[in-house]
Amino acid sequence: MEQEDMMRFLGVIFNSFCLLVILAGCSLFDKEQPAPREVVNEEGVVIEKKPIWKVDLYDDTKDLVWSFLSPILYDDMVITPSSLLDTDRSWALWAFTIDEGKKIWSWAEPNKQSWSNQLRGSGKVSNLWIEKEYNGYNADNFYAIDLNSGETVWSQNRPGSWAGDVFVYGDKYYYAQFPMEAPYYGRYCAVYEGDVYSTDHEIYLVPETDSIRLSPNNHLGFVDNPLVFEGEDAVQYMLIPFSEYQLEPGTEFPTHYGNLYMALYDMDAKEYVYSKALVATEVQALVDEVPMIYEDRLILFNIRDEVIAFDLYTGDVVWQNHYDQGAFSMILVNSVLVMSQQLGDETYAYGLDPETGQQLWVRPSGGGASDIQELNGVVYWKDRGDASLYAVDGLTGELIWRLGDPDPESNSWWKSDGVAVLPGENGEKGRIFASSHLRFYCFEAAR
């Protein structure tokens, strides 16, 4: 009898165990599965991608002011700009660790001008970041920021109008500005040279022009974005794009059409190689970006509707292409020139042969990208038109990513310009860094 009771007891235990196993299996089956790291559409394009990490830049929502800067990489950190429109109308920079997105330091613009300023062009020398803040028609603020600590090493407000992007070369930097001082006030736009480590700066060169001057509230010409480089003969040169606008007959006001010129200056001999090579006629805008050097030629873009390549040392035009919207940014990828068009209802990205200008591929794009980066043959950009993050094969034009807002409720996706790329190590894929004005993201690269 005792044996039968024992068998019944063991049977009850066995049945209970089986029931627990079944219930546990059902629980595991019903448990919500983790979201996939990528969502791919029927065309094979990645349309959603989980970031490796993301960080909030602000505790609460801030109104937007456009940024013209991209994130930069320095040592083991990534630094991103952001902008907000509040009572201070201030700008900020944040530094995060590359691996985890841990905040290291932050920097806030100290001057807090009443103008809705724009951070424009910048460059790095050792641990110093040179930054210029476009302040409208009266003055521009310049900063040197220590990237190790986020502290301002020096800053200066410089009277003048329309300072172009900052181009850093060695321990000097260059930019163009309409001087406020005599004898140039209201007449010419000059190229300035500044010392990276101090506030010292002076007019370096005034291009040889006939009609550049300033009328009330109207620029009749511009000098924009000088480019300094070392030539094959080890001579240091400066390329200077400038325009002269035409006047309405009998008036002091421009027609908004003019001629675009290029000058090449030998900085060692202190003389021009050529001072006024005609590049394009009846243009509406200047280059507005630092020109691109390819072998022995220079490629200009963003001059409204022309992309032009000309001989670097003679100024002779080699080829030019017409586009309804012009170009917005370019990058060279394995001897293919990848171009993103300007804003418009119908805009595209192109692959061009830099030797001939021949179109190799074309792809519809949502708008314009202010900055394109390349990693392992893939070009990445944030699109101003459709607010997407694109990844495209630079050689074929194949679309790899078109990522929308990972946080739709934020209404902030890709409202700051540009991306940064970091190569991978030990066979791993690299990383892509991109920001909105509210958040900062780190993604695994496509390759």
mmCIF file of all heavy atoms in Angstrom, residues 301-307 321-330 339-343 347-348 350 367-368:
data_model
loop_
_atom_site.group_PDB
_atom_site.id
_atom_site.type_symbol
_atom_site.label_atom_id
_atom_site.label_comp_id
_atom_site.label_asym_id
_atom_site.label_seq_id
_atom_site.Cartn_x
_atom_site.Cartn_y
_atom_site.Cartn_z
ATOM 1 N N PHE A 301 31.343 74.466 -57.564
ATOM 2 C CA PHE A 301 29.938 74.092 -57.566
ATOM 3 C C PHE A 301 29.146 75.069 -56.709
ATOM 4 O O PHE A 301 29.709 75.956 -56.075
ATOM 5 C CB PHE A 301 29.756 72.660 -57.050
ATOM 6 C CG PHE A 301 30.376 72.399 -55.710
ATOM 7 C CD1 PHE A 301 29.638 72.467 -54.553
ATOM 8 C CD2 PHE A 301 31.723 72.078 -55.610
ATOM 9 C CE1 PHE A 301 30.211 72.223 -53.327
ATOM 10 C CE2 PHE A 301 32.314 71.827 -54.387
ATOM 11 C CZ PHE A 301 31.548 71.902 -53.245
ATOM 12 N N ASN A 302 27.837 74.876 -56.721
ATOM 13 C CA ASN A 302 26.921 75.755 -56.008
ATOM 14 C C ASN A 302 27.019 77.189 -56.509
ATOM 15 O O ASN A 302 27.012 78.133 -55.739
ATOM 16 C CB ASN A 302 27.159 75.710 -54.498
ATOM 17 C CG ASN A 302 25.964 76.263 -53.733
ATOM 18 O OD1 ASN A 302 24.861 76.338 -54.266
ATOM 19 N ND2 ASN A 302 26.176 76.666 -52.497
ATOM 20 N N ILE A 303 27.085 77.366 -57.818
ATOM 21 C CA ILE A 303 27.002 78.697 -58.414
ATOM 22 C C ILE A 303 25.705 78.778 -59.209
ATOM 23 O O ILE A 303 25.655 79.188 -60.352
ATOM 24 C CB ILE A 303 28.222 79.026 -59.277
ATOM 25 C CG1 ILE A 303 28.487 77.922 -60.303
ATOM 26 C CG2 ILE A 303 29.439 79.233 -58.413
ATOM 27 C CD1 ILE A 303 29.648 78.248 -61.228
ATOM 28 N N ARG A 304 24.669 78.341 -58.542
ATOM 29 C CA ARG A 304 23.284 78.380 -58.993
ATOM 30 C C ARG A 304 22.964 77.308 -60.014
ATOM 31 O O ARG A 304 22.154 76.461 -59.772
ATOM 32 C CB ARG A 304 22.902 79.770 -59.520
ATOM 33 C CG ARG A 304 21.428 79.900 -59.918
ATOM 34 C CD ARG A 304 20.506 79.551 -58.783
ATOM 35 N NE ARG A 304 20.583 80.537 -57.719
ATOM 36 C CZ ARG A 304 19.908 80.428 -56.572
ATOM 37 N NH1 ARG A 304 19.144 79.403 -56.367
ATOM 38 N NH2 ARG A 304 20.022 81.344 -55.636
ATOM 39 N N ASP A 305 23.609 77.286 -61.165
ATOM 40 C CA ASP A 305 23.203 76.283 -62.149
ATOM 41 C C ASP A 305 24.360 75.697 -62.938
ATOM 42 O O ASP A 305 24.136 75.011 -63.933
ATOM 43 C CB ASP A 305 22.163 76.867 -63.113
ATOM 44 C CG ASP A 305 22.644 78.142 -63.784
ATOM 45 O OD1 ASP A 305 23.828 78.481 -63.620
ATOM 46 O OD2 ASP A 305 21.832 78.793 -64.458
ATOM 47 N N GLU A 306 25.601 75.942 -62.528
ATOM 48 C CA GLU A 306 26.743 75.417 -63.261
ATOM 49 C C GLU A 306 27.697 74.672 -62.314
ATOM 50 O O GLU A 306 27.914 75.085 -61.187
ATOM 51 C CB GLU A 306 27.526 76.537 -63.951
ATOM 52 C CG GLU A 306 26.735 77.340 -64.961
ATOM 53 C CD GLU A 306 26.425 76.560 -66.213
ATOM 54 O OE1 GLU A 306 27.167 75.588 -66.512
ATOM 55 O OE2 GLU A 306 25.450 76.899 -66.894
ATOM 56 N N VAL A 307 28.226 73.555 -62.801
ATOM 57 C CA VAL A 307 29.345 72.876 -62.148
ATOM 58 C C VAL A 307 30.500 72.935 -63.132
ATOM 59 O O VAL A 307 30.379 72.477 -64.266
ATOM 60 C CB VAL A 307 29.000 71.419 -61.809
ATOM 61 C CG1 VAL A 307 30.191 70.736 -61.136
ATOM 62 C CG2 VAL A 307 27.773 71.354 -60.912
ATOM 63 N N ASN A 321 29.041 71.632 -66.620
ATOM 64 C CA ASN A 321 27.722 71.021 -66.737
ATOM 65 C C ASN A 321 26.666 71.971 -66.187
ATOM 66 O O ASN A 321 26.905 72.678 -65.197
ATOM 67 C CB ASN A 321 27.650 69.706 -65.958
ATOM 68 C CG ASN A 321 28.469 68.605 -66.592
ATOM 69 O OD1 ASN A 321 28.915 68.736 -67.732
ATOM 70 N ND2 ASN A 321 28.676 67.524 -65.858
ATOM 71 N N HIS A 322 25.529 71.960 -66.817
ATOM 72 C CA HIS A 322 24.419 72.781 -66.367
ATOM 73 C C HIS A 322 23.397 71.911 -65.640
ATOM 74 O O HIS A 322 23.023 70.852 -66.130
ATOM 75 C CB HIS A 322 23.749 73.480 -67.547
ATOM 76 C CG HIS A 322 22.557 74.295 -67.154
ATOM 77 N ND1 HIS A 322 22.683 75.593 -66.700
ATOM 78 C CD2 HIS A 322 21.232 74.002 -67.117
ATOM 79 C CE1 HIS A 322 21.476 76.064 -66.410
ATOM 80 N NE2 HIS A 322 20.582 75.117 -66.663
ATOM 81 N N TYR A 323 22.948 72.369 -64.459
ATOM 82 C CA TYR A 323 21.901 71.694 -63.707
ATOM 83 C C TYR A 323 20.888 72.744 -63.283
ATOM 84 O O TYR A 323 21.252 73.843 -62.881
ATOM 85 C CB TYR A 323 22.479 70.998 -62.473
ATOM 86 C CG TYR A 323 23.436 69.883 -62.816
ATOM 87 C CD1 TYR A 323 24.796 70.141 -62.949
ATOM 88 C CD2 TYR A 323 22.979 68.590 -63.024
ATOM 89 C CE1 TYR A 323 25.681 69.124 -63.276
ATOM 90 C CE2 TYR A 323 23.855 67.574 -63.356
ATOM 91 C CZ TYR A 323 25.204 67.845 -63.470
ATOM 92 O OH TYR A 323 26.076 66.842 -63.800
ATOM 93 N N ASP A 324 19.625 72.379 -63.360
ATOM 94 C CA ASP A 324 18.578 73.355 -63.067
ATOM 95 C C ASP A 324 18.699 73.926 -61.670
ATOM 96 O O ASP A 324 18.398 75.090 -61.431
ATOM 97 C CB ASP A 324 17.193 72.719 -63.245
ATOM 98 C CG ASP A 324 16.868 72.440 -64.698
ATOM 99 O OD1 ASP A 324 17.504 73.066 -65.565
ATOM 100 O OD2 ASP A 324 16.007 71.583 -64.962
ATOM 101 N N GLN A 325 19.152 73.113 -60.724
ATOM 102 C CA GLN A 325 19.253 73.574 -59.351
ATOM 103 C C GLN A 325 20.697 73.777 -58.898
ATOM 104 O O GLN A 325 20.943 74.151 -57.775
ATOM 105 C CB GLN A 325 18.565 72.577 -58.411
ATOM 106 C CG GLN A 325 17.064 72.508 -58.571
ATOM 107 C CD GLN A 325 16.378 73.773 -58.111
ATOM 108 O OE1 GLN A 325 16.806 74.419 -57.163
ATOM 109 N NE2 GLN A 325 15.304 74.142 -58.790
ATOM 110 N N GLY A 326 21.644 73.508 -59.770
ATOM 111 C CA GLY A 326 23.033 73.635 -59.353
ATOM 112 C C GLY A 326 23.427 72.510 -58.412
ATOM 113 O O GLY A 326 22.684 71.559 -58.198
ATOM 114 N N ALA A 327 24.613 72.596 -57.837
ATOM 115 C CA ALA A 327 25.092 71.585 -56.891
ATOM 116 C C ALA A 327 25.068 72.147 -55.486
ATOM 117 O O ALA A 327 25.111 73.360 -55.289
ATOM 118 C CB ALA A 327 26.504 71.140 -57.260
ATOM 119 N N PHE A 328 25.011 71.259 -54.524
ATOM 120 C CA PHE A 328 24.975 71.704 -53.137
ATOM 121 C C PHE A 328 26.192 71.239 -52.356
ATOM 122 O O PHE A 328 26.629 71.902 -51.441
ATOM 123 C CB PHE A 328 23.696 71.199 -52.472
ATOM 124 C CG PHE A 328 23.223 72.091 -51.372
ATOM 125 C CD1 PHE A 328 22.814 73.378 -51.641
ATOM 126 C CD2 PHE A 328 23.196 71.643 -50.077
ATOM 127 C CE1 PHE A 328 22.386 74.207 -50.628
ATOM 128 C CE2 PHE A 328 22.762 72.467 -49.058
ATOM 129 C CZ PHE A 328 22.353 73.747 -49.335
ATOM 130 N N SER A 329 26.717 70.082 -52.692
ATOM 131 C CA SER A 329 27.940 69.594 -52.068
ATOM 132 C C SER A 329 28.493 68.462 -52.911
ATOM 133 O O SER A 329 27.780 67.844 -53.690
ATOM 134 C CB SER A 329 27.686 69.122 -50.626
ATOM 135 O OG SER A 329 26.643 68.168 -50.599
ATOM 136 N N MET A 330 29.798 68.189 -52.746
ATOM 137 C CA MET A 330 30.466 67.169 -53.546
ATOM 138 C C MET A 330 31.496 66.424 -52.709
ATOM 139 O O MET A 330 31.996 66.946 -51.718
ATOM 140 C CB MET A 330 31.190 67.803 -54.734
ATOM 141 C CG MET A 330 30.305 68.195 -55.883
ATOM 142 S SD MET A 330 31.310 68.790 -57.269
ATOM 143 C CE MET A 330 30.050 68.996 -58.515
ATOM 144 N N MET A 339 27.741 64.207 -56.328
ATOM 145 C CA MET A 339 27.197 65.547 -56.155
ATOM 146 C C MET A 339 25.768 65.462 -55.664
ATOM 147 O O MET A 339 24.968 64.678 -56.182
ATOM 148 C CB MET A 339 27.244 66.297 -57.489
ATOM 149 C CG MET A 339 26.682 67.707 -57.448
ATOM 150 S SD MET A 339 26.679 68.474 -59.096
ATOM 151 C CE MET A 339 25.128 67.853 -59.743
ATOM 152 N N SER A 340 25.430 66.262 -54.674
ATOM 153 C CA SER A 340 24.050 66.379 -54.221
ATOM 154 C C SER A 340 23.496 67.710 -54.691
ATOM 155 O O SER A 340 24.145 68.746 -54.546
ATOM 156 C CB SER A 340 23.971 66.302 -52.691
ATOM 157 O OG SER A 340 22.663 66.561 -52.249
ATOM 158 N N GLN A 341 22.287 67.674 -55.242
ATOM 159 C CA GLN A 341 21.708 68.905 -55.757
ATOM 160 C C GLN A 341 21.179 69.806 -54.657
ATOM 161 O O GLN A 341 20.983 69.402 -53.517
ATOM 162 C CB GLN A 341 20.563 68.583 -56.725
ATOM 163 C CG GLN A 341 20.982 68.521 -58.170
ATOM 164 C CD GLN A 341 19.801 68.708 -59.091
ATOM 165 O OE1 GLN A 341 18.697 68.328 -58.774
ATOM 166 N NE2 GLN A 341 20.046 69.302 -60.238
ATOM 167 N N GLN A 342 20.879 71.023 -55.081
ATOM 168 C CA GLN A 342 20.367 72.033 -54.167
ATOM 169 C C GLN A 342 18.891 71.767 -53.885
ATOM 170 O O GLN A 342 18.265 70.907 -54.497
ATOM 171 C CB GLN A 342 20.537 73.421 -54.785
ATOM 172 C CG GLN A 342 20.600 74.544 -53.785
ATOM 173 C CD GLN A 342 20.971 75.849 -54.454
ATOM 174 O OE1 GLN A 342 21.020 75.941 -55.662
ATOM 175 N NE2 GLN A 342 21.234 76.857 -53.665
ATOM 176 N N LEU A 343 18.310 72.518 -52.952
ATOM 177 C CA LEU A 343 16.902 72.380 -52.630
ATOM 178 C C LEU A 343 16.028 72.639 -53.847
ATOM 179 O O LEU A 343 16.314 73.487 -54.671
ATOM 180 C CB LEU A 343 16.521 73.356 -51.510
ATOM 181 C CG LEU A 343 17.073 73.020 -50.129
ATOM 182 C CD1 LEU A 343 16.838 74.169 -49.174
ATOM 183 C CD2 LEU A 343 16.430 71.766 -49.590
ATOM 184 N N THR A 347 14.868 67.028 -57.045
ATOM 185 C CA THR A 347 16.309 67.122 -56.873
ATOM 186 C C THR A 347 16.922 65.733 -56.922
ATOM 187 O O THR A 347 16.254 64.729 -56.682
ATOM 188 C CB THR A 347 16.660 67.796 -55.545
ATOM 189 O OG1 THR A 347 15.984 67.110 -54.484
ATOM 190 C CG2 THR A 347 16.238 69.250 -55.549
ATOM 191 N N TYR A 348 18.219 65.679 -57.202
ATOM 192 C CA TYR A 348 18.877 64.412 -57.459
ATOM 193 C C TYR A 348 20.293 64.404 -56.902
ATOM 194 O O TYR A 348 20.885 65.453 -56.643
ATOM 195 C CB TYR A 348 18.934 64.140 -58.973
ATOM 196 C CG TYR A 348 17.584 64.058 -59.631
ATOM 197 C CD1 TYR A 348 16.975 65.207 -60.123
ATOM 198 C CD2 TYR A 348 16.914 62.847 -59.739
ATOM 199 C CE1 TYR A 348 15.720 65.149 -60.713
ATOM 200 C CE2 TYR A 348 15.665 62.777 -60.330
ATOM 201 C CZ TYR A 348 15.069 63.927 -60.822
ATOM 202 O OH TYR A 348 13.822 63.874 -61.395
ATOM 203 N N TYR A 350 24.075 62.786 -58.092
ATOM 204 C CA TYR A 350 24.732 62.364 -59.319
ATOM 205 C C TYR A 350 26.110 61.787 -59.015
ATOM 206 O O TYR A 350 26.764 62.179 -58.046
ATOM 207 C CB TYR A 350 24.932 63.553 -60.272
ATOM 208 C CG TYR A 350 23.671 64.211 -60.750
ATOM 209 C CD1 TYR A 350 23.107 65.269 -60.040
ATOM 210 C CD2 TYR A 350 23.042 63.788 -61.918
ATOM 211 C CE1 TYR A 350 21.953 65.889 -60.480
ATOM 212 C CE2 TYR A 350 21.893 64.396 -62.372
ATOM 213 C CZ TYR A 350 21.342 65.448 -61.655
ATOM 214 O OH TYR A 350 20.193 66.052 -62.090
ATOM 215 N N GLY A 367 16.310 66.422 -51.481
ATOM 216 C CA GLY A 367 16.628 67.845 -51.412
ATOM 217 C C GLY A 367 18.105 68.067 -51.549
ATOM 218 O O GLY A 367 18.724 67.550 -52.460
ATOM 219 N N GLY A 368 18.713 68.815 -50.629
ATOM 220 C CA GLY A 368 20.136 69.105 -50.717
ATOM 221 C C GLY A 368 20.834 68.710 -49.443
ATOM 222 O O GLY A 368 20.247 68.659 -48.373
#
